[in-house]
Amino acid sequence: MLSCSGSGGGSSSSSSSGAPNILYVIMDDVGIDQMESFGYGGDTPPSMPNITAIARKGVRFRNTWSMPECSNGRASFFAGRYPFRTNIYQAIGGNDLANSQLTPYDVTVPKLLKNANYESAMFGKFHLAGPDNNQAGYNTPAQLGWDYFYGWIGGLPGSLDSTAGGIAASGTYKCGFVPSSVATSGACYYANSSCKAMSQTSLAQDAAGLQCLDSGGIFVPNQSCGTPPANLNFNEQNAYYVSPLLIIENGQEAVQVPLTDSRARGYRTRIEADAAIKWINGKKDSAKPWMATVSFSSAHTPWQQPPKKLIPVGNVAGADLLDCTNSNDGRVIQNQMTEGLDSEFGRIMIETGLATRGADGSLVYDPKASNTVIVIVGDNGTLGNAVKLPFNAQEAKGTAYQTGVWDPLIVAGPMVAAPDREVDHMVNMVDLFQFFGELAGLDAHALVPRTIDSVGLLPYLTKPDQSSLRTINFTQGGYNIQANGGRNAPCVFSASSCSQVPISKSVCQDNGGVWWGSGYTDPTVIPNSGVGYTSCYAVNQAKYIAGGNSMTAPAPNAQVKINPEKSTAIRNTKYKLIQNYTQTFAPGTTAPNSLVSYELYEINQAAPVPKLDDPSLAISIPYAGEALAAYNDLYAKLQSLLISEPYCPGDGNNDGVVNAEDLSNWQKIYSIATSSNIWSSVYNFMVSGVWNGITSTTDEQTIKQNLGNTCPKTYSIY
């Protein structure tokens, strides 16, 4: 095994095997455009001194792609496989079947590392599988290999509670707490009926209402403690401060912590850090190496102010008066949330003994002082409203354009030669899967019984002159699999564009959109007896009819731009080819027009102004010379890659053959539910192009009809 031994102490001491410990930090919706340490960040970069300190003692990978959204980005690095292999094309929602979740048969990073005797834990956002449409329910983290989990399985914070715990009418408090403009003092009640007086005595303090919320209470402004008011509601989620926590320990059944429990109340980023610190410090005498994944929820929407003590002093004045529903204020709050993430990351480093504080308060990190590797990533690109110039806010998270998939990757540790350097070679987040294996001395390709898309990263750390290990890079987003061909309902942004990326009405609204699906409530939605609309195509069709059968009707019946429903990209060192699939509306049609388009760009990683794939800069057709050669090469490789994982009916465990093991697996799943309520699973097979979401005897017949079949060989292109 690779030995990265050093003279560390405390929780970071070396395991007896010599394999390094791994601290893996995931930032949510923090693309490279936010990162001043990579040469970007625009005019108002978030202050991230602690992460910058690690970057200066490690390697900054400046040309790293992830996938366009949360779940497919996370599945890529935890399973080492592109979306068309896992069927996870976008954020997993409550309607997505087990066919679009990581499965019990996937080899995840913690399962891989068990070959080297690692213990693995995750803190924070999961969003890889379950609880909906999955036979493991809330136990999917354990099923996928984690020994310990402390966080949120669905991943997304709940919506802002504008009633602030039931004390006001809906819509009153835009950020989920009573601001200082309403009250600087009051009574803070807790779920156990206790009460504490809260007050704000200086601008350096949080508003009394936020102090109370952060401590787990509900704030009643301008009152003294007494009999708790009858309208207090301790069972309502409130974005980053009240969340339904889940705990799994040592393979035991998942414990769902109710919202009335103090453990589920408090600032989410701090809860994530506290849990990680406790677990890591508990491993200081362990003979086993460990991997701790701190999967921060920040800075995902809904945007909500962190406690002031987590953000730079110069940014605290007036913070509690910002409006969380205003996009301009939201950009400020998003910065503060990223800064709060950085503060809590720094605390993890200090309180686990992986770093110290200098006399000026700065983080002092010596990568050779412990046998621990630090890896920091973003899971996908930045949400459009928060994108920093010169990156394109219109082509951000949810798309395969650079702003949607270009992410920071920082690696530091005792094996890094010539630290404080940059690597401009192409890297993909799937490569982290192999890298974690490399750290443990494992050959991931040899140990995983299916095609993985990873190439190595370790050579870039140990050899500063290492040439590129990739000739192409790849990213992909689209629709997850839902029963009977279902899709997420449409969400319209700024009355001008429509997307089916948001997984629910609340997520649509939390991101500033108008929900046009079932249960719509916004007055701008063209009413259809409450049924709602199933697609962006249907939105434009309704607008066309309401506008007097006009494609050019003025607002509110103007046609909206339909965002690509599938977005895929491939690149080499100079050129990038994007394939977009969109369904559009045309008069006189009863079904969408399916359009596949290609765009070719010349791109680079120059700082602070990179050459980006802004649609206005697409290379004009017809291509010629070098551009034509690049297009032909990238197009051929893209098509080859997309057909490299042929569907194999009956092979539910994806081991390459349909055999008695598949029948046995099907039977186990089928036997745990009645015939009217069979779990969604990977043993529900596609019939006539769709999955019905029920594991039934029809699926058993599919297995029997294909028994003995060997699946077509899959392959990858690097």
Side-chain angles (χ1 to χ4, degrees), residues 188-443:
C188 184
Y189 290 94
Y190 298 93
N192 62 3
S193 298
S194 65
C195 182
K196 181 180 179 181
M198 288 283 176
S199 64
Q200 179 188 31
T201 58
S202 74
L203 290 178
Q205 288 181 300
D206 291 313
L210 185 57
Q211 291 180 47
C212 176
L213 179 62
D214 188 29
S215 70
I218 294 177
F219 183 71
V220 180
N222 302 314
Q223 291 190 17
S224 300
C225 289
T227 302
N231 58 338
L232 300 187
N233 183 1
F234 288 94
N235 289 298
E236 184 72 27
Q237 293 188 50
N238 192 349
Y240 276 77
Y241 287 91
V242 185
S243 299
L245 184 68
L246 188 79
I247 303 172
I248 303 175
E249 188 168 9
N250 298 326
Q252 298 175 5
E253 193 77 10
V255 175
Q256 299 179 58
V257 178
L259 297 180
T260 54
D261 191 307
S262 61
R263 292 173 295 176
R265 309 182 72 87
Y267 188 54
R268 190 158 166 156
T269 306
R270 184 194 302 116
I271 291 172
E272 292 160 343
D274 282 344
I277 291 166
K278 182 177 180 180
W279 187 85
I280 293 170
N281 284 338
K283 300 301 170 186
K284 63 182 179 180
D285 296 322
S286 175
K288 294 182 178 180
W290 52 259
M291 179 176 179
T293 296
V294 185
S295 181
F296 284 118
S297 302
S298 284
H300 198 288
T301 52
W303 291 329
Q304 189 178 35
Q305 293 93 330
K308 285 182 179 178
K309 65 181 180 181
L310 298 184
I311 59 180
V313 173
N315 295 348
V316 301
D320 71 292
L321 300 179
L322 295 170
D323 180 352
C324 294
T325 64
N326 176 282
S327 59
N328 289 329
D329 284 1
R331 290 173 61 86
V332 177
I333 297 171
Q334 192 263 2
N335 259 19
Q336 294 175 345
M337 293 171 68
T338 305
E339 292 167 346
L341 176 160
D342 181 79
S343 294
E344 290 299 82
F345 165 73
R347 187 166 66 86
I348 292 171
M349 294 293 293
I350 296 296
E351 294 188 16
T352 59
L354 292 170
T356 59
R357 290 287 181 199
D360 61 355
S362 62
L363 192 78
V364 178
Y365 168 64
D366 178 2
K368 295 190 181 301
S370 73
N371 190 33
T372 302
V373 177
I374 314 295
V375 182
I376 304 170
V377 303
D379 64 340
N380 49 248
T382 302
L383 184 69
N385 287 341
V387 167
K388 302 291 194 293
L389 292 174
F391 288 78
N392 189 340
Q394 303 303 313
E395 312 292 345
K397 176 186 176 181
T399 77
Y401 293 89
Q402 288 293 86
T403 311
V405 301
W406 186 11
D407 287 283
L409 169 60
I410 298 166
V411 182
M415 83 295 290
V416 174
D420 194 14
R421 59 183 167 91
E422 298 177 338
V423 170
D424 276 314
H425 299 312
M426 290 180 288
V427 172
N428 195 286
M429 287 297 181
V430 295
D431 299 338
L432 286 172
F433 182 86
Q434 181 166 332
F435 174 60
F436 293 134
E438 290 174 320
L439 292 177
L442 302 171
D443 183 342

Side-chain angles (χ1 to χ4, degrees), residues 572-615:
N572 58 25
T573 56
K574 186 175 181 180
Y575 291 96
K576 176 177 181 178
L577 180 65
I578 297 178
Q579 177 194 76
N580 285 328
Y581 171 85
T582 309
Q583 291 186 317
T584 62
F585 168 74
T589 61
T590 57
N593 291 328
S594 298
L595 301 177
V596 180
S597 62
Y598 294 88
E599 300 167 9
L600 183 68
Y601 298 91
E602 184 179 343
I603 59 174
N604 64 28
Q605 294 73 243
V609 183
K611 188 175 289 187
L612 295 169
D613 47 358
D614 189 305

